[in-house]
Amino acid sequence: MFGSEQEESSSQHLNMHFDHQHPQQSFTSPSIHMRQLLISCAEHISRCDFYGAHRLINILSANSSHCGDSTERLVHQFNKALNLRLNRYAASGATSTSNLMPSLLIPKISAALPSSAGSSTTQQVFDDESVVQSAYLSLNQITPFIRFTHLTANQAILESVEGHHAIHILDFNIMHGVQWPPLMQAMAEKFPPPMLRITGTGDNLSILRRTGDRLAKFAHTLGLRFQFHPVLLLENEESISSFFNSFATYLEPNETLAVNCVLYLHRLSRERLSLFLHQIKALNPRVLTLAEREANHNFPIFLQRFVEALDHYTALFDSLEATLPPNSRQRIEVEQIWFGREISDIVAAEGDGRRERHERFRAWELMLRGSGFHNLALSPFALSQAKLLLRLHYPSEGYKLDILNDSFFLGWQNQHLFSVSSWH
């Protein structure tokens, strides 16, 4: 932990690093020093030292930028999230922790950052569905992570339903449906091609309907018999239970069911997850495909969650720095909107208000086995496809693909970032 004298020293030390007119030697690199300051700021917040956190936010703000190198950009996003957490303390005036200090003694935190990073402006951007969806499509294009999860999950589904003539895919949080055209094309090449139905869930009915229209038009060009059913599904127990009750009667007796959970399960609380997985198991799917972040952002203790998130997003920002030009509009969009929204949620939100509850593969494995599932090994062909994707479209030596427990892990350098597995 850093006291006030250390903070003032840190400010001078950082300014030495970032002022090119006064080069200084140091045993600590700027990126490590910035990391230490971020963690120190989180420590101040954890013990309700709002003045100390406020001073560090000012230091970090002066030495970070959304358009600098990967360290400066990462610090900029985490600093905004810390600022948002402090603003929520100030706005609440009295919580179980802030009762320890009168609200009048909490500094005016919004002055710590430029107006462009104000919490209200940031939240408005995160709430703009069109902006968020555009960032997701950019993420899908400029990084291999989403394509890797989709490609691997698709192959697991294709192999599991081989020889079946009526396929029903239940896709939780389908979004734009970009996962499915390659699978539809592969099915259309079968003789005879199967009948395909997709039930896609989401929290925006307009987006769901547009997704269904696009997929139906694509199926028509392929000559593939196809139906799409949009389902508005909220992330609460009542909505989920109601959905499973109705879906069980909707499933045709001759259909082979595949359930797809790509970057979805982490949105459910631990209490809801157990029931959710048992309800999926009761549907007796031929295969359940699962893709998730390889990180634990579900710690109840804020400081542990913060450090884990800092490590995870450092690797993600480093991968973008190494593979995209500095002026890439899409990189800026992904970092500020998609990753920025996730970081703000992990750092600033608590309880039911937090959506990004990522868990490591080991935790998902225990939950799935406890719900009656067993792991299906991903095939050598799925592995060759994933390797080909990286080689042709993302030819950087930094991306690493590993096989552990019959599942695939994609990461940057030596850190796993995403996992894909299949279950029955």
Side-chain angles (χ1 to χ4, degrees):
M1 298 181 184
F2 299 94
S4 59
E5 292 183 1
Q6 286 174 302
E7 289 154 18
E8 292 172 7
S9 173
S10 296
S11 177
Q12 297 169 359
H13 188 65
L14 273 172
N15 288 333
M16 288 178 185
H17 280 298
F18 286 87
D19 186 351
H20 298 293
Q21 296 177 351
H22 303 284
Q24 299 285 332
Q25 288 186 342
S26 173
F27 294 103
T28 305
S29 71
S31 61
I32 293 175
H33 204 82
M34 295 289 260
R35 171 189 166 84
Q36 292 169 342
L37 284 182
L38 282 169
I39 295 174
S40 181
C41 185
E43 288 175 336
H44 280 292
I45 293 174
S46 293
R47 62 175 186 260
C48 302
D49 179 2
F50 301 116
Y51 280 110
H54 183 60
R55 285 192 293 270
L56 283 176
I57 282 178
N58 277 317
I59 295 170
L60 291 161
S61 179
N63 291 283
S64 63
S65 167
H66 73 277
C67 56
D69 62 22
S70 63
T71 296
E72 292 175 278
R73 300 194 307 271
L74 179 80
V75 171
H76 178 74
Q77 295 300 330
F78 272 87
N79 201 37
K80 283 203 301 182
L82 288 167
N83 185 67
L84 179 60
R85 187 176 180 92
L86 278 175
N87 271 312
R88 288 177 176 174
Y89 272 118
S92 66
T95 64
S96 59
T97 53
S98 61
N99 279 335
L100 300 174
M101 176 181 290
S103 60
L104 291 175
L105 297 181
I106 300 177
K108 293 182 179 179
I109 295 155
S110 59
L113 292 175
S115 59
S116 62
S119 60
S120 61
T121 303
T122 300
Q123 194 58 49
Q124 287 172 4
V125 173
F126 291 161
D127 290 340
D128 188 328
E129 195 65 40
S130 63
V131 172
V132 172
Q133 295 300 324
S134 175
Y136 172 78
L137 294 176
S138 292
L139 175 69
N140 184 55
Q141 185 172 348
I142 66 176
T143 73
F145 303 117
I146 303 299
R147 288 186 179 182
F148 160 72
T149 61
H150 288 171
L151 184 71
T152 307
N154 281 357
Q155 188 58 36
I157 292 172
L158 285 169
E159 292 172 6
S160 294
V161 302
E162 179 69 31
H164 294 255
H165 302 296
I167 314 301
H168 195 141
I169 296 174
L170 172 54
D171 185 14
F172 287 97
N173 197 32
I174 191 171
M175 300 184 73
H176 288 279
V178 295
Q179 175 174 349
W180 302 119
L183 178 138
M184 294 165 70
Q185 192 161 7
M187 286 187 171
E189 293 171 358
K190 305 282 185 184
F191 186 80
M195 168 67 189
L196 175 63
R197 288 208 295 171
I198 295 179
T199 295
T201 78
D203 56 11
N204 186 309
L205 195 55
S206 176
I207 291 176
L208 285 170
R209 285 171 175 162
R210 290 199 299 271
T211 295
D213 290 343
R214 283 193 302 271
L215 292 176
K217 289 176 182 176
F218 184 68
H220 180 73
T221 65
L222 297 173
L224 181 68
R225 291 176 298 155
F226 177 78
Q227 292 179 7
F228 180 82
H229 303 279
V231 176
L232 187 64
L233 182 64
L234 304 179
E235 290 156 14
N236 60 63
E237 190 170 336
E238 182 180 353
S239 178
I240 291 172
S241 295
S242 174
F243 165 73
F244 276 108
N245 289 336
S246 60
F247 183 80
T249 60
Y250 175 69
L251 196 61
E252 297 285 348
N254 66 327
E255 286 183 320
T256 300
L257 176 65
V259 178
N260 188 63
C261 293
V262 169
L263 307 180
Y264 174 76
L265 287 186
H266 69 268
R267 293 188 174 187
L268 304 177
S269 68
R270 278 286 185 97
E271 294 74 20
R272 294 176 187 139
L273 262 172
S274 177
L275 176 61
F276 182 88
L277 291 174
H278 278 93
Q279 287 171 319
I280 290 179
K281 182 62 178 175
L283 295 173
N284 194 28
R286 183 78 177 180
V287 64
L288 164 65
T289 47
L290 174 67
E292 281 292 343
R293 296 288 185 86
E294 186 60 10
N296 190 348
H297 299 149
N298 204 21
F299 284 113
I301 299 173
F302 163 65
L303 190 58
Q304 288 179 296
R305 191 167 75 237
F306 183 87
V307 174
E308 179 86 4
L310 190 56
D311 289 340
H312 181 78
Y313 286 96
T314 294
L316 283 171
F317 275 60
D318 285 348
S319 71
L320 294 178
E321 175 84 353
T323 55
L324 293 165
N327 59 348
S328 168
R329 180 194 62 80
Q330 290 178 305
R331 177 187 57 73
I332 294 172
E333 184 180 37
V334 167
E335 289 179 346
Q336 292 194 53
I337 306 301
W338 192 263
F339 291 157
R341 187 173 72 155
E342 292 179 345
I343 291 168
S344 290
D345 184 86
I346 293 166
V347 172
E350 289 292 349
D352 289 339
R354 183 158 49 85
R355 299 183 70 193
E356 306 298 338
R357 303 182 183 91
H358 305 125
E359 302 263 13
R360 293 188 181 276
F361 174 81
R362 179 59 178 159
W364 297 120
E365 182 182 36
L366 290 173
M367 282 186 274
L368 284 158
R369 291 191 187 282
S371 300
F373 288 93
H374 66 268
N375 198 195
L376 297 175
L378 296 168
S379 70
F381 185 71
L383 178 63
S384 66
Q385 276 192 323
K387 288 180 177 179
L388 186 63
L389 171 73
L390 294 176
R391 187 165 66 248
L392 292 182
H393 300 287
Y394 307 94
S396 171
E397 294 182 358
Y399 291 117
K400 304 294 183 184
L401 181 62
D402 293 317
I403 308 172
L404 296 169
N405 299 326
D406 294 324
S407 306
F408 294 173
F409 293 78
L410 180 60
W412 179 254
Q413 302 297 354
N414 295 319
Q415 184 167 346
H416 292 154
L417 297 173
F418 287 76
S419 68
V420 184
S421 56
S422 67
W423 302 81
H424 177 70

